[in-house]
Each structure stands twice: as C-alpha cells, then as structure tokens.
Amino acid sequence: MYDPFSPDFQADPYPVYRRLRDEEPVHRHEDPPFWALSRFDDIWEAVRDPKRFSSAQGLTFHPDEIGTLGLAPTIVMLDPPRHTRLRRLISHGFTPRRIAELEDLLREFVRGRIALMERKAADGEPVDLHRDFSSPLPTFALAHLLGVPEADRARFDPWVAALTTVQEEGLNGTGAVEAVAEMFAYFSDVIADRRKDPRDDLITALTVAEADGERLADWDILGFCFVMVAGGNDTTGNLISHGVALLDATPAEREKLLKDPGLIPNALMEFLRMEGSVQSLARTTTEPVTLHGVEIPAGEKVMMLYGSANRDEREFGPTVDELDVTREIPRHLGFATGVHFCIGSHLAKLQGRVAFEELLGAHPSIGVDLAGARRINSPFSRGWETLPATGLGKG
C-alpha cells in the first residue's frame, strides 16, 4: 500500500495517505524496516515527546545516516537538554530582527528575478518558475545571511540536490557524503575567517553568541550551516512553486489574494498544509510505544508522515483536499512542532510573503504548465526540478 520509493506514490501520495489514516494509522514497512504514523494527532503528540520519540538517531529511515554522512549530531539531531542549550545560543545570532532587516533586499532581488522572467518571455525563451524564480530566492537569502560572496553561491544547489535525493544512491553512495564534506570544508574556512575578521553577518554573530557563559563551538556552527542549507533552501523554493501551482488550479482563491494581499501570510500556511515541502522525517523510539493497539518496540525508526497529517480530515474537516486561503489553521505541521519547530520558519515566511506580493502584483495571471514539469525523486521531500511558467502578461 505505502511504497515511498514508488514513482506513482511520489507523483501523488495523497490517496495512499488517506488509506493509511483510515485503515492502518500505525504502518510497518519492511524494506527498509521502519514504522510510519499518518494521523495528525498521533504525529503532533509524537514530535512533542522527545523522551519517547528521539531525534538523536537521525531523521531518515536509514539506520546510521549520521555516521555515514560524517556528521556530529546537528541541532535537528539532538534531544533536550543539549538541544535546548544549543538552540538558545543559536537564537542569539539568528534573531527575528536580523531576518526582518532582509525585507528590502529580498524585495529588490525578487523584482530582479521577475524582470529576468519577463525578458526571457519577451525573447521567446522558456521560463521555468522554479529554476528562474522560486529556487534562487532562498539561495540568495541564505548566502547573504551567512556572508557567502556571490561568486560562491552557485555551490549551494549541488549540495542541496545531493542531500535531498540521497535515497537514489542510499547512504552507500558517495554523492551525499561528498556534498557534506565539501559543505563542511567550505564553512570551516568561513568560520575561521570570521573569528579573525568579524563582519556584519550571521556566522560572525554565531561566533560571538553567548548564554550563561557558554559559546558555540565551530562544530555547532557548522551543524547550523548544514541545517540551513540542507533544510531551508529547497524547502522554501518548493513552498513558493507549490503556491503558484495551487493558485493556478483554483482561480477563485487567487482572486482573493489579488483583492486582499493581506491574506498572503495565511495563504502560505495553507500552501504548506496542502503541499508540504517536507513530507516525512523520522524519530526513534526509546521505549515500547503502543498506538491504536499496535506496539512499536524500542529502538525503531518511525517516520512522521507530515504530508499525510496536514491532510487529515480529523483535524481540518471535510474540505481538507481543497485550497482555502482564508482557512483557520490553529495547529499545523508544515514547520513541525515542539522542540524542533523549524528555527527558520520566520525566514521562510518572509521570503514567501515578498515573493507572492511582488509576483501577483506584477503578473496576476501567473501560472504553471504541469504537463511539462518534473518533480524531484524523494521519499522525504516534495518539490520540483523544473516547473514551466505561464501567464506572464500584465493581467
């Protein structure tokens, strides 16, 4: 029933998710061996219970991803109390104020990407919404925050591609291992440089962050860079691309945003609910856990199917499969919850808001050609390699 590697499942996982929720909310997958939870309440409670559902063994169903990738545990692979201390330190540098100060710069960048798409369309060239618009924005934002010079920013995309498609080779392949090694070598040099020559960037802020006499080690900062590049780059780009595709399929909802751009922040959460960039991440049980009459033994990987949870009619009602940009969403798993609530959520929301304010303002009929699109192959993420754009006229 549930095969995360199946091309048919990856193209449209939602019918399978519904069957899991209705018929087998605690599902055992045999090869590779792991369990899967699919209902909103079960996942919400599990990810808020790090004592029984630990992050310390990694976030995929691979048994030793941390050791194979050559990682020390990053912030997303730690449990309290160490996670709590490290997150508090990182928060001293990665502040909402620092993110908010990016808005004018992001808006200028977005307008430049829109102008690029307009030039390509005018010249009769194909325009790819994801490659030409959605994906470059988080690369620019993260590179600027981290103080990466423009000449080095093209390195980001191959790192992200290797990490988000790790299942194609598995952890026995070399792509992800080489990507992590290259990324860590690069940022090790940046961190060393910032300790000697401080600048007005996030890495410098992290090198001097202090709480209760504790400071971040180089490895802690490297781990944060890994999380931001691997977890915050492609996810934000896919949020924007999915949002455009969803609006193109539901013109009445797009019209609501055109009439009231103040609805865009809520619409972003609805886009994530409908098409989550992160479809699933794992926890590991620290003791036997029984759900719906099924016992999951201790030491087992359990995939939290966020993409299923966010379409659970038990939480969101009978219109769960319909886009509603005015939907009230008191609980949401698009950015997870609990101690591992996405530390970059405010950055993703800012980028999404600016992107849609500018894009819909310039091209209210912007759409996509799904027949010509190609999705990434991943059991963990949902997104695009290519997504041709349509409707680049002025309304």
Side-chain angles (χ1 to χ4, degrees):
M1 177 167 62
Y2 165 57
D3 178 3
F5 300 101
S6 164
D8 289 340
F9 170 80
Q10 291 179 12
D12 182 11
Y14 302 109
V16 172
Y17 286 156
R18 180 178 287 273
R19 287 185 60 194
L20 285 174
R21 292 193 303 267
D22 290 346
E23 301 173 18
E24 199 176 358
V26 182
H27 173 77
R28 175 64 176 176
H29 191 276
E30 294 299 337
D31 185 21
F34 64 88
W35 299 80
L37 303 184
S38 52
R39 290 186 182 175
F40 187 97
D41 275 343
D42 295 335
I43 296 172
W44 180 269
E45 295 301 327
V47 298
R48 296 170 71 88
D49 185 4
K51 290 185 178 179
R52 293 197 303 163
F53 291 91
S54 169
S55 299
Q57 304 304 313
L59 302 180
T60 76
F61 44 62
H62 297 293
D64 186 27
E65 74 203 64
I66 297 175
T68 304
L69 291 175
L71 296 172
T74 66
I75 187 172
V76 294
M77 299 174 183
L78 292 171
D79 297 322
R82 176 58 184 158
H83 172 272
T84 306
R85 293 196 301 269
L86 186 58
R87 184 166 179 132
R88 184 171 66 248
L89 277 165
I90 288 172
S91 296
H92 276 64
F94 192 55
T95 62
R97 178 193 59 80
R98 183 179 290 275
I99 301 308
E101 289 174 350
L102 284 174
E103 180 165 344
D104 289 345
L105 193 66
L106 294 178
R107 199 171 294 278
E108 180 183 359
F109 181 82
V110 165
R111 289 173 178 170
R113 300 308 297 188
I114 292 172
L116 170 67
M117 291 195 294
E118 290 169 346
R119 290 194 299 271
K120 293 181 72 171
D123 292 341
E125 297 180 37
V127 180
D128 191 307
L129 179 79
H130 192 70
R131 292 183 175 180
D132 292 334
F133 183 75
S134 305
S135 185
L137 176 56
T139 298
F140 171 80
L142 289 173
H144 179 80
L145 270 174
L146 298 172
V148 176
E150 187 170 352
D152 292 343
R153 292 175 186 177
R155 293 184 171 199
F156 275 50
D157 288 339
W159 293 339
V160 172
L163 293 168
T164 57
T165 60
V166 65
Q167 83 291 340
E168 291 182 0
E169 294 180 327
L171 293 180
N172 295 319
T174 60
V177 176
E178 290 178 352
V180 170
E182 183 180 335
M183 188 191 315
F184 275 30
Y186 179 84
F187 282 112
S188 291
D189 291 341
V190 174
I191 293 166
D193 178 74
R194 297 304 187 270
R195 290 198 185 276
K196 290 186 289 187
D197 181 19
R199 304 183 191 179
D200 184 20
D201 60 32
L202 178 56
I203 290 184
T204 297
L206 294 175
T207 64
V208 300
E210 183 175 342
D212 300 327
E214 184 176 6
R215 302 181 71 170
L216 292 166
D218 285 7
W219 194 264
D220 297 326
I221 301 173
L222 278 173
F224 176 75
C225 293
F226 170 83
V227 168
M228 292 303 293
V229 173
N233 201 65
D234 212 40
T235 51
T236 303
N238 285 320
L239 162 61
I240 296 168
S241 290
H242 276 132
V244 175
L246 287 165
L247 292 176
D248 192 35
T250 49
E253 297 304 298
R254 177 167 56 193
E255 193 63 29
K256 292 178 184 177
L257 298 188
L258 294 174
K259 290 180 178 178
D260 183 5
L263 292 173
I264 288 174
N266 195 75
L268 294 173
M269 299 304 289
E270 177 73 343
F271 299 156
L272 269 182
R273 187 193 69 78
M274 289 285 291
E275 290 278 22
S277 302
V278 178
Q279 289 284 295
S280 62
L281 290 176
R283 300 291 191 271
T284 301
T285 51
T286 61
E287 61 184 63
V289 176
T290 299
L291 289 169
H292 305 290
V294 178
E295 181 179 288
I296 304 174
E300 296 280 304
K301 285 288 185 85
V302 183
M303 296 303 295
M304 307 294 165
L305 302 183
Y306 295 130
S308 174
N310 279 330
R311 293 222 189 181
D312 190 345
E313 60 279 5
R314 297 161 188 81
E315 177 71 14
F316 299 103
T319 63
V320 69
D321 292 324
E322 301 172 14
L323 181 72
D324 179 358
V325 298
T326 64
R327 186 188 301 273
E328 294 184 11
I329 310 177
R331 300 195 299 175
H332 194 291
L333 283 163
F335 291 117
T337 186
V339 298
H340 286 290
F341 181 79
C342 176
I343 196 170
S345 61
H346 44 300
L347 176 58
K349 290 176 183 178
L350 173 62
Q351 293 175 80
R353 176 173 63 79
V354 170
F356 278 96
E357 286 173 353
E358 295 295 330
L359 188 60
L360 292 178
H363 297 283
S365 298
I366 186 76
V368 294
D369 173 17
L370 293 179
R374 186 170 66 252
R375 285 196 171 275
I376 61 173
N377 298 317
S378 172
F380 313 114
S381 304
R382 184 161 172 81
W384 306 95
E385 289 187 10
T386 63
L387 185 61
T390 63
L392 283 168
K394 289 279 184 180

